[in-house]
Amino acid sequence: MLEIFVACYALNREIRAVYMIRLLLLLSFFPVRGQIVNPMPIELVLTGSFCELRSNHYHTGLDFRTQQRTGIPVLSVEQGYVSRVGWSAEGYGRVLYVTHPKLGLTSVYAHLESFSAGIEAYVDSLLMAECAFELDRELPKGLLSVARGEEIGKSGNTGSSTGPHLHFELRNSQTERALNPLDFGLKIADTRPPFFKQIGMVRRMESGLDSLWVLQKVSSGNGYRPSYLGNAKAYPAGHWSVVFEAEDRVNGSGFRTDLRRIRLLVDDSLVFEWKVDSIDFEDSRYINAHLMYKQSLKGLRLRRTYRLANDRAGYWQVLPLAGWAEVNSKNRSFRLEIEDDAGNKTRTDWEFAAKAEAPRQKATLFVLPETPLVLTSDGISLQVHPELLYGPQPFNLQKLPAPGPCGLPQWNIGDAGFPVHSEYVFAVDSNFFGEAKKLQLQGLINYKGRFYPAKDTWVEGGKIMVRTNDQGVFSFCEDRVAPRVEILKAAYPRLEFKVIEEGKGMDRLSVRLNGRCLPWRLEKAGRFWVDVPKDIEAPFTLCVEGGDKAGHRFSISRPVFE
């Protein structure tokens, strides 16, 4: 009997050990919500919030004011090590990633003016070794360790920043999902509730398209009741939902922040809930499914309280009606609730009825394919993937009779009033371009009446290939001008110059001073600068060589500091 008990206990011990290991592995994917220190030694005032609505993406961090200046110390929010460093004229500019093993988090500090001395020296060595101007490098653990509260850089205005500030993120080190830093101990004074600006009623058509029927400006404050009931005869019966525009402000800041949660109830039953605690970077463009895209092109940021067919972000709660309510002549009670990061809430209630006959639908719609579909018309072809569009939409693919801005043909692809979720490539028969040099052709997209360069244009198999993430009218121009170099400043030891490229973009670039690679600082708009090291002796000769994607090559050799 004792032997059986001992055997069972030993077996149970092994089972317990297995389950304990599984539990520890599972917990490793959930970061510890500890108290991090402030990333700057000043009062934190928000200019941008987590999951704020930006152009074509959700904001993945917090933006902090830096008193309208650069150079404020930036501190590591917890003990850890620098796991990645970035250096770019666009995007995050100069950026540091610090991994905190104890918390299971990685903190991100973007748009920096400079790094601390040790980090800066290491980055300079990488830039010189690779003769590079931009950098994105993962670093091994233990190479650059930092303490909690240690200065790791200075705040700046680099990359795509439009003004001095610190962009700060927290990410789950295992999943790379961006987390809301306000859930980890950062304190922001916020007693101001969000407020509605506009509320509209949307009807779902038989095709699946949504149609905005009425939009009312809203007086801010809790308890405001839109007056939809009196116009019930104007609305056809069917499935209805709500769109709205709202804003939030934190104490001491005039900048807009954003919402944490949205709830829509019909007759006291929850039909839609949207809540964001973390963001997958792959899902960020699903903002185009959350907003009414056509209205956003006009400056209206109307948020849906219903899910489009191809919205896969998962920020909404899965409910049977997906945000829609069937409305007929009987009054139905609607309630819309919004909440910010501090838990401040605002709600509004109203009644709605519909009595008119439903209109007939005239539009011919493109139905989402279940498998990749190749469309071809008038010398142009493209492949539509199931995940490219967010829902059914009008879709037109044809060559237009009038030429584009450079006298070359233009085509319409899809409908400019609808977004696409990802980049796609279309091909155009090169015979349409006559004597034009095919390599120099640059695809252009018409946006609000002006043509802008597409993502990329190249020649492949006798076709002109264009990569884009837009729908609408496309045309082409020839890039006939080679890049050029302009010296901006030559006052020893500071040397500044600019590479001006007005066409398809740079393909390669080499810069040397007296034959040596230097840690050039690449800034916005192609501006380079460096403080020349003392071990380089006069006379000084700047050599710049490179080429663009249109095949133009250039080379200059010029004395400086004369």
Side-chain angles (χ1 to χ4, degrees):
M1 187 71 175
L2 180 61
E3 292 177 352
I4 295 175
F5 174 79
V6 172
C8 289
Y9 180 81
L11 178 61
N12 289 336
R13 183 173 58 188
E14 292 178 1
I15 294 174
R16 288 198 303 271
V18 169
Y19 276 101
M20 182 59 69
I21 292 173
R22 290 180 178 177
L23 178 61
L24 291 174
L25 288 173
L26 179 63
L27 290 176
S28 69
F29 283 88
F30 295 90
V32 178
R33 295 183 180 259
Q35 298 287 318
I36 60 175
V37 300
N38 286 358
M40 292 187 294
I42 59 174
E43 181 186 3
L44 298 183
V45 178
L46 285 181
T47 61
S49 61
F50 185 75
C51 205
E52 183 182 341
L53 305 179
R54 297 290 176 92
S55 175
N56 280 323
H57 70 279
Y58 292 111
H59 192 229
T60 54
L62 302 178
D63 286 344
F64 294 115
R65 294 179 64 177
T66 55
Q67 303 171 343
Q68 298 181 331
R69 62 187 176 94
T70 62
I72 292 177
V74 174
L75 314 177
S76 175
V77 297
E78 184 52 88
Q79 176 185 358
Y81 64 93
V82 179
S83 53
R84 182 178 170 190
V85 61
W87 188 292
S88 174
E90 300 177 342
Y92 283 177
R94 296 190 186 101
V95 57
L96 287 176
Y97 300 74
V98 178
T99 295
H100 313 285
K102 290 197 304 184
L103 298 181
L105 299 173
T106 297
S107 54
V108 183
Y109 313 81
H111 309 305
L112 300 179
E113 178 181 60
S114 61
F115 304 138
S116 62
I119 300 173
E120 190 92 7
Y122 180 75
V123 170
D124 282 354
S125 69
L126 293 177
L127 291 171
M128 287 189 290
E130 300 179 9
C131 224
F133 320 107
E134 297 186 301
L135 188 70
D136 185 4
R137 178 69 60 85
E138 293 186 359
L139 306 182
K141 181 179 180 179
L143 179 65
L144 295 172
S145 297
V146 296
R148 177 182 171 95
E150 178 182 339
E151 182 176 329
I152 55 176
K154 302 286 189 184
S155 68
N157 184 30
T158 58
S160 299
S161 170
T162 58
H165 74 284
L166 174 66
H167 173 86
F168 174 72
E169 293 178 15
L170 285 181
R171 301 183 184 181
N172 184 313
S173 297
Q174 292 285 340
T175 66
E176 282 292 308
R177 291 183 69 93
L179 307 172
N180 192 335
L182 297 181
D183 292 337
F184 294 84
L186 294 184
K187 303 298 183 184
I188 302 293
D190 183 9
T191 58
R192 303 167 67 180
F195 58 93
F196 294 108
K197 296 182 67 177
Q198 300 186 84
I199 297 178
M201 297 299 296
V202 173
R203 185 177 182 274
R204 187 175 67 191
M205 311 296 282
E206 293 178 4
S207 62
L209 280 178
D210 49 359
S211 177
L212 179 63
W213 277 71
V214 60
L215 186 65
Q216 278 194 12
K217 291 186 177 180
V218 174
S219 299
S220 59
N222 268 304
Y224 176 79
R225 297 177 63 84
S227 57
Y228 295 129
L229 183 58
N231 298 321
K233 294 182 179 179
Y235 307 131
H239 288 88
W240 289 82
S241 191
V242 178
V243 294
F244 71 95
E245 184 179 18
E247 287 187 10
D248 189 38
R249 299 279 195 278
V250 299
N251 299 2
S253 175
F255 290 91
R256 289 186 305 179
T257 52
D258 226 304
L259 307 177
R260 182 70 171 259
R261 174 182 285 180
I262 303 166
R263 284 162 48 94
L264 176 65
L265 296 92
V266 178
D267 296 335
D268 295 324
S269 295
L270 184 67
V271 298
F272 181 85
E273 181 171 22
W274 181 93
K275 184 175 184 291
V276 179
D277 296 314
S278 65
I279 299 174
D280 189 322
F281 286 84
E282 295 296 322
D283 292 343
S284 190
R285 276 185 64 88
Y286 281 113
I287 186 176
N288 291 317
H290 183 50
L291 294 176
M292 296 198 81
Y293 184 77
K294 190 172 293 186
Q295 281 70 26
S296 70
L297 296 177
K298 303 174 184 178
L300 293 177
R301 310 288 275 176
L302 296 179
R303 310 173 75 132
R304 291 181 166 99
T305 62
Y306 53 95
R307 174 181 171 256
L308 292 187
N310 243 8
D311 182 358
R312 305 177 184 181
Y315 300 144
W316 29 263
Q317 182 177 337
V318 179
L319 295 166
L321 298 178
W324 296 98
E326 187 172 358
V327 180
N328 48 41
S329 60
K330 180 182 177 181
N331 291 344
R332 302 205 67 175
S333 298
F334 283 75
R335 174 183 297 170
L336 184 59
E337 302 173 350
I338 55 177
E339 180 180 345
D340 65 16
D341 281 322
N344 302 307
K345 299 178 182 179
T346 300
R347 57 173 272 194
T348 183
D349 302 80
W350 69 94
E351 293 186 323
F352 186 77
K355 298 179 180 180
E357 182 180 351
R360 294 182 178 180
Q361 184 177 316
K362 298 180 180 179
T364 300
L365 300 181
F366 179 81
V367 179
L368 294 176
E370 296 181 358
T371 58
L373 178 66
V374 176
L375 302 179
T376 303
S377 178
D378 291 342
I380 189 170
S381 63
L382 64 96
Q383 188 177 72
V384 179
H385 291 271
E387 65 275 10
L388 182 65
L389 307 177
Y390 294 107
Q393 66 158 78
F395 201 92
N396 185 23
L397 184 64
Q398 67 174 15
K399 183 176 179 293
L400 301 179
C406 296
L408 295 175
Q410 56 183 354
W411 285 262
N412 185 86
I413 300 179
D415 187 317
F418 291 81
V420 296
H421 182 63
S422 58
E423 295 179 354
Y424 67 97
V425 174
F426 66 85
V428 181
D429 192 327
S430 60
N431 293 327
F432 282 100
F433 301 102
E435 299 300 318
K437 293 183 178 180
K438 309 303 186 290
L439 183 61
Q440 295 181 3
L441 288 173
Q442 180 177 26
L444 306 172
I445 172 66
N446 187 325
Y447 180 72
K448 294 184 177 180
R450 295 183 60 186
F451 281 88
Y452 297 89
K455 293 285 185 180
D456 199 6
T457 309
W458 69 99
V459 180
E460 182 179 308
K463 302 282 188 180
I464 309 301
M465 315 296 292
V466 179
R467 177 178 289 109
T468 182
N469 56 4
D470 291 291
Q471 301 184 61
V473 175
F474 289 85
S475 190
F476 294 83
C477 283
E478 288 184 83
D479 178 0
R480 301 177 178 177
V481 181
R484 63 186 189 274
V485 176
E486 178 183 340
I487 302 296
L488 301 176
K489 182 177 182 180
Y492 186 85
R494 178 62 59 89
L495 176 59
E496 297 182 17
F497 70 94
K498 184 177 183 179
V499 177
I500 302 172
E501 159 58 20
E502 299 175 339
K504 297 177 67 174
M506 295 298 297
D507 181 45
R508 63 182 183 86
L509 187 67
S510 171
V511 182
R512 286 177 170 80
L513 186 68
N514 289 8
R516 285 180 53 178
C517 295
L518 298 179
W520 295 97
R521 272 59 174 164
L522 175 57
E523 303 286 359
K524 296 179 174 70
R527 173 177 163 265
F528 294 80
W529 67 269
V530 72
D531 288 327
V532 177
K534 295 180 180 180
D535 62 341
I536 299 182
E537 299 180 352
F540 301 98
T541 301
L542 175 67
C543 295
V544 183
E545 297 179 337
D548 64 14
K549 294 179 180 179
H552 302 116
R553 298 290 180 258
F554 71 98
S555 176
I556 70 159
S557 180
R558 184 176 302 175
V560 292
F561 300 130
E562 292 182 315

